[in-house]
Amino acid sequence: MLTLFNTLTGKQDPFESLEPNKARMYVCGVTVYDYCHIGHARSALVFDVLRRYLEYSGYEVSFVKNFTDVDDKIIKRANEQGVSCEAVTAKYINAYYEDMGKLGIAPATKEPKATDHITDIVAMTETLVKKGLAYHVDGDVYFQVDKYPAYGRLSKRKLEDLQAGARVEVDERKHHPVDFALWKRSKAGEPSWPSPWGPGRPGWHIECSAMSIKHLGETFDIHGGGMDLIFPHHENEIAQSCGATGKEFARYWIHNGFVQVNQEKMSKSLGNFFTIREIFEKSKWSQDVTGEVLRYFLLSTHYHGPLDFSDQGLHEAKQALEGFYGLFNRLREPESNTVADRNLVSVIDRAREAFQKAMDDDLNTPVAVSELQKLRYDVNKLLEVGLSTGERQQAREAFRLVGSVLGLFQLDRWEYGAKLEPGQYQLSSTEVDAKLVERNEARKRKDFRKADEIRRLLAADGITIEDKPDGTSRWKR
RNA sequence: GGCGCCGUACCCAAGUGGCUAAGGGAGCAGUCUGCAAAACUGCGAUGCAGCGGUUCGAACCCGCUCGGCGCCUCCA
């Protein structure tokens, strides 16, 4: 059974969905004012894998992930560039899909935008005002934190501690320094919508409450996001939502750790971040390879802990994946010698069981991946003894099936080596095959000078040759 | 000041009370090979930052020390 570390309870809880075989999850997406960096990729990937694993485990998953498309940073960006906010958000939403698509991150079931839910947001704000949990001052509406006694239960903070540590300028109009905006009066030139308190725009936290409740119901299963969202964002979401509905909000709160660079948090403010597209542009590997390498790399650390981003880490991930795809290539070859081996099925079953056990343990992807490494080892050994064509296909399918949970091993063909020129090889596959025939004829004649010359020629095009015992060769690049 | 995380081999990374401390990358030696590549076989932490303590037993629990980091402010 799947257990998940729940920030709310501070421990690993068995996952039991509200409705049998149905899981409803909401994940805080991105504010679309810039390109996504690796940190966004990690978060998106973690919840993509959670969703895939729930589906693999037999759940029908309703997965909602929002776009924050109204915000101070967007307004600022639009003003800097002299374009409309819509132009900014449209651009970066497109970029988001492009980047995440390269990473193999599947779109959520629903991906709502804040600006499409203004009426829901206004309605929820009104409810909170009516219930006396929020108050109106000069066109702004604030949530009154001390009216919600459970405030701080997610982040394990006491109101007094927050007050003592507050480094923000205190807005005198607020009843309590920690009170936060549900609705903000718009200044001239800012996006604005009509409301009972005058023209304005939503605060940040309320959109997630309004959209998650609208699309998933007042109480749903999983709510996720980066560690940094625990406070204040998720704490505020809980206060608003529970305050408005009087019911429990999300039951499992899942938070992923940060991507760091040189042991430091990667962030915009530190300027030490890498965007996803930078990684792809910089990479000497093909797009498919880079996407899978990045996935493998990100999944080789448990989602809850920090992850140090480095070229070396990426390279190690690539090497590890090459081991898998090398095996897949061999599995594609028709049998030569058949030694019936009944172990294959048990080896696969054992691997699947171990894989599930690891994933059940709070999505322990590093262990899950290592179980697949063990399967690779086992299948390689069986291949030495001899597997029939059917068994080879069976083995390949097992990797494909289990790998699909992690989004790995789905490619038919993997470009191993570095490209000479971005986008183009010198030699086509048929030309390579012809060269190999030529080389093997030379080998038969023991003309090894000629054979090695051809090898060098192909190597210059990024191709590695592997000679098989039967005198033919396979190649990869 | 408050809350919290981390320190495991050359590198990455699981393990959080009890079989020989997973797995990967790199390395070394061997099998195979015309050579190579791949695969396979073998080697590699008597020890888990340090020091104390609890326990029959600790990397794992407790305390202290050292080192690194995060949140409390927009942030995945």
Side-chain angles (χ1 to χ4, degrees):
Chain A
M1 171 170 217
L2 175 62
T3 61
L4 292 169
F5 183 84
N6 187 353
T7 307
L8 197 57
T9 58
K11 59 184 173 54
Q12 214 163 300
D13 295 331
F15 177 71
E16 286 168 47
S17 57
L18 277 166
E19 273 183 77
N21 302 113
K22 286 184 107 174
R24 286 175 283 166
M25 60 189 275
Y26 183 92
V27 170
C28 291
V30 293
T31 301
V32 277
Y33 74 105
D34 205 348
Y35 294 115
C36 291
H37 59 229
I38 319 286
H40 297 115
R42 185 182 194 196
S43 185
L45 179 58
V46 164
F47 294 104
D48 181 59
V49 168
L50 174 57
R51 182 254 201 106
R52 286 167 188 252
Y53 189 60
L54 286 168
E55 285 172 349
Y56 173 90
S57 306
Y59 287 93
E60 185 191 315
V61 181
S62 300
F63 176 23
V64 178
K65 179 161 65 178
N66 72 302
F67 285 113
T68 297
D69 65 343
V70 52
D71 173 88
D72 290 344
K73 293 187 290 292
I74 295 169
I75 295 167
K76 187 170 166 238
R77 181 60 55 98
N79 289 340
E80 280 166 10
Q81 300 185 346
V83 296
S84 67
C85 286
E86 292 75 26
V88 170
T89 59
K91 175 181 173 185
Y92 291 111
I93 286 173
N94 283 336
Y96 177 91
Y97 283 122
E98 240 180 79
D99 295 344
M100 295 303 176
K102 285 180 189 168
L103 265 168
I105 287 164
T109 321
K110 281 187 186 148
E111 307 197 324
K113 292 182 236 173
T115 54
D116 290 337
H117 293 76
I118 301 295
T119 50
D120 304 300
I121 291 168
V122 169
M124 191 166 187
T125 306
E126 277 188 289
T127 304
L128 288 167
V129 172
K130 263 184 217 136
K131 285 197 163 186
L133 292 166
Y135 54 92
H136 168 220
V137 190
D138 310 328
D140 291 338
V141 180
Y142 291 99
F143 185 90
Q144 191 166 348
V145 158
D146 55 17
K147 286 280 176 71
Y148 181 71
Y151 194 81
R153 72 183 164 123
L154 181 72
S155 57
K156 317 283 184 269
R157 290 185 166 117
K158 295 187 204 104
L159 225 39
E160 311 89 72
D161 296 339
L162 289 168
Q163 209 169 351
R167 277 186 267 157
V168 243
E169 278 179 57
V170 177
D171 185 337
E172 292 302 328
R173 303 173 312 157
K174 289 189 193 176
H175 293 6
H176 185 110
V178 186
D179 289 354
F180 57 90
L182 300 171
W183 189 259
K184 294 169 150 177
R185 184 176 62 181
S186 293
K187 299 188 193 92
E190 289 183 353
S192 106
W193 290 265
S195 84
W197 318 282
R201 58 191 170 98
W204 175 36
H205 316 294
I206 190 80
E207 64 169 88
C208 288
S209 293
M211 290 190 280
S212 57
I213 287 173
K214 171 157 188 179
H215 296 291
L216 295 173
E218 291 177 337
T219 306
F220 54 95
D221 297 305
I222 296 169
H223 193 126
M227 289 279 185
D228 49 353
L229 297 184
I230 295 171
F231 190 90
H233 185 54
H234 288 163
E235 194 68 62
N236 292 353
E237 274 189 57
I238 291 175
Q240 292 158 355
S241 305
C242 297
T245 67
K247 293 180 185 149
E248 179 60 298
F249 185 44
R251 302 159 62 235
Y252 297 87
W253 288 83
I254 315 296
H255 294 97
N256 65 277
F258 291 121
V259 175
Q260 312 184 324
V261 173
N262 297 325
Q263 318 293 325
E264 259 188 338
K265 175 184 173 181
M266 187 173 79
S267 73
K268 296 262 163 89
S269 44
L270 289 169
N272 61 345
F273 65 94
F274 296 91
T275 64
I276 297 172
R277 52 185 54 204
E278 262 180 307
I279 304 298
F280 277 95
E281 279 162 15
K282 209 172 66 174
S283 172
K284 54 187 190 295
W285 309 319
S286 73
Q287 185 170 301
D288 285 341
V289 168
T290 305
E292 189 159 352
V293 165
L294 208 44
R295 266 186 102 100
Y296 189 101
F297 169 71
L298 292 171
L299 293 174
S300 60
T301 300
H302 186 88
Y303 81 87
H304 206 254
L307 168 73
D308 215 56
F309 181 76
S310 67
D311 284 339
Q312 193 195 328
L314 241 38
H315 186 253
E316 286 183 6
K318 167 119 184 322
Q319 293 301 107
L321 276 168
E322 279 198 9
F324 283 103
Y325 277 93
L327 170 61
F328 301 159
N329 276 353
R330 268 167 269 134
L331 289 175
R332 222 160 40 174
E333 291 165 2
E335 66 166 321
S336 41
N337 54 331
T338 307
V339 177
D341 197 305
R342 336 174 186 83
N343 285 333
L344 181 66
V345 172
S346 66
V347 156
I348 289 172
D349 286 349
R350 200 182 314 133
R352 282 193 62 171
E353 233 169 84
F355 176 85
Q356 279 163 225
K357 188 168 169 258
M359 292 299 283
D360 278 345
D361 182 18
D362 195 27
L363 298 185
N364 197 335
T365 55
V367 169
V369 164
S370 82
E371 294 301 342
L372 295 175
Q373 289 283 7
K374 286 179 194 162
L375 179 62
R376 178 180 74 92
Y377 173 83
D378 287 338
V379 173
N380 262 322
K381 272 183 102 155
L382 291 176
L383 206 52
E384 293 250 308
V385 182
L387 289 176
S388 69
T389 305
E391 287 172 319
R392 288 166 187 237
Q393 284 168 355
Q394 198 183 349
R396 180 64 181 97
E397 269 319 297
F399 279 104
R400 204 182 287 276
L401 175 69
V402 181
S404 72
V405 176
L406 304 177
L408 301 175
F409 312 145
Q410 304 304 302
L411 266 35
D412 285 326
R413 187 152 172 282
W414 214 66
E415 305 283 336
Y416 287 77
K419 289 184 173 183
L420 296 175
E421 299 277 312
Q424 275 233 328
Y425 295 112
Q426 304 282 319
L427 297 168
S428 70
S429 300
T430 42
E431 283 170 323
V432 174
D433 289 337
K435 284 285 173 200
L436 282 184
V437 169
E438 199 184 320
R439 175 170 170 274
N440 284 326
E441 278 163 5
R443 287 210 299 147
K444 222 176 270 178
R445 293 196 307 270
K446 305 250 190 267
D447 183 357
F448 298 122
R449 242 170 64 137
K450 175 80 178 168
D452 290 345
E453 193 183 302
I454 292 172
R455 198 217 307 269
R456 271 194 298 277
L457 180 86
L458 294 181
D461 203 28
I463 289 163
T464 308
I465 297 167
E466 290 177 22
D467 293 334
K468 294 193 278 184
D470 66 2
T472 62
S473 308
R474 67 173 78 90
W475 61 276
K476 63 188 189 183
R477 68 173 145 201

